[in-house]
Amino acid sequence: QSALTQPASVSGSPGQSITISCTGTSSDVGGYDFVSWYQQYPGKTPKVMIYAVRNRPSGVSNRFSGSKSGNTASLTISGLQAEDEADYYCTSYTSSITPLYVFGTGTKVTVL
Amino acid sequence: QLQLQESGPGLVKPSETLSLSCTVSGGSISSSHYHWGWLRQSPGKGLEWIGSVYNSGNTFYNPSLKSRVTISVDSSKNQVSLRLTSVTAADTAVYYCTKVISFYFYMDVWGKGTTVAVSS
């Protein structure tokens, strides 16, 4: 099962908006609206930021938003802040072989 | 607030079996709305899904690990268990227990993770 493709790094200045892409196939990202995004600080536990493509859990800043087009999902961070500097992973439900999840390769977000 | 705590040996010898437990507190281990998953993260690498177990007992495993993995739920102990046989250095990782929202297939609660090294 191949991992979802994410850019290795994305950077932006405070206040700017950045977008992280997550590209899969019609068997995962394109086939289901079950894409979620996780933020992970070094040495810390991942935290869900977006689920079901575009839904924010309670407590997550509305500066984080998700979308999907075809086989590519995206996470946009608006009004970039220093605290947003972390690793971000996408994941999707997939049924290509047996029901399972496939994770993205991860993106390091740097706030300049 | 439901919390998860992984536990188990931090060092396992090659070819032996890795056994981890995840204790669920602050909530019910049995629900039709969520199930349980194990994930891992090798040093400096990304996240990898190991497998999931539903309260019905149904299990689903990553095909790359399926021949070596067993995940189970013990409701009497409020624990979810992971067993990985014939380990090698490639199984060295931080192992996470997660609660998975069944309807949307996402992990909303994570344990702090436990580090397991495979070395002789």
Side-chain angles (χ1 to χ4, degrees):
Chain A
Q1 182 65 35
S2 298
L4 305 177
T5 302
Q6 298 181 231
S9 62
V10 174
S11 62
S13 299
Q16 287 186 330
S17 293
I18 62 169
T19 296
I20 304 168
S21 61
C22 169
T23 301
T25 68
S26 58
S27 295
D28 39 63
V29 175
Y32 303 93
D33 284 339
F34 297 134
V35 176
S36 50
W37 290 89
Y38 301 85
Q39 175 192 64
Q40 186 180 33
Y41 295 113
K44 299 299 184 183
T45 299
K47 171 189 174 183
V48 61
M49 306 303 283
I50 295 288
Y51 69 92
V53 177
R54 57 181 55 83
N55 295 278
R56 269 190 317 276
S58 174
V60 172
S61 171
N62 59 10
R63 297 185 298 103
F64 291 83
S65 62
S67 62
K68 189 184 85 167
S69 177
N71 295 337
T72 298
S74 298
L75 174 71
T76 297
I77 308 175
S78 305
L80 198 62
Q81 299 180 1
E83 67 198 47
D84 300 329
E85 186 163 297
D87 293 324
Y88 292 82
Y89 294 92
C90 63
T91 188
S92 175
Y93 175 86
T94 175
S95 63
S96 61
I97 301 176
T98 60
L100 56 83
Y101 304 87
V102 59
F103 275 87
T105 48
T107 298
K108 169 67 177 176
V109 168
T110 301
V111 181
L112 302 172
Chain B
Q1 181 78 350
L2 190 145
Q3 294 183 318
L4 305 175
Q5 179 66 59
E6 303 91 345
S7 60
L11 181 64
V12 181
K13 290 182 168 55
S15 80
E16 294 191 343
T17 296
L18 180 163
S19 294
L20 298 177
S21 294
C22 171
T23 300
V24 180
S25 61
S28 174
I29 198 170
S30 299
S31 171
S32 61
H33 300 295
Y34 49 81
H35 59 277
W36 309 98
W38 282 95
L39 292 86
R40 69 181 184 180
Q41 187 169 32
S42 301
K45 299 292 181 62
L47 294 161
E48 179 182 30
W49 176 75
I50 299 171
S52 296
V53 60
Y54 285 73
N55 295 299
S56 63
N58 286 346
T59 52
F60 299 92
Y61 301 128
N62 188 322
S64 67
L65 300 170
K66 188 174 183 178
S67 63
R68 300 193 291 131
V69 174
T70 303
I71 296 175
S72 60
V73 173
D74 187 334
S75 299
S76 66
K77 295 182 179 179
N78 260 26
Q79 287 184 340
V80 184
S81 298
L82 167 69
R83 190 169 175 269
L84 182 66
T85 62
S86 304
V87 298
T88 69
D91 295 311
T92 293
V94 177
Y95 286 76
Y96 294 102
C97 174
T98 66
K99 169 174 161 276
V100 186
I101 300 300
S102 299
F103 190 78
Y104 292 114
F105 294 101
Y106 76 97
M107 299 87 183
D108 72 328
V109 180
W110 296 63
K112 293 188 188 312
T114 187
T115 300
V116 178
V118 178
S119 175
S120 55

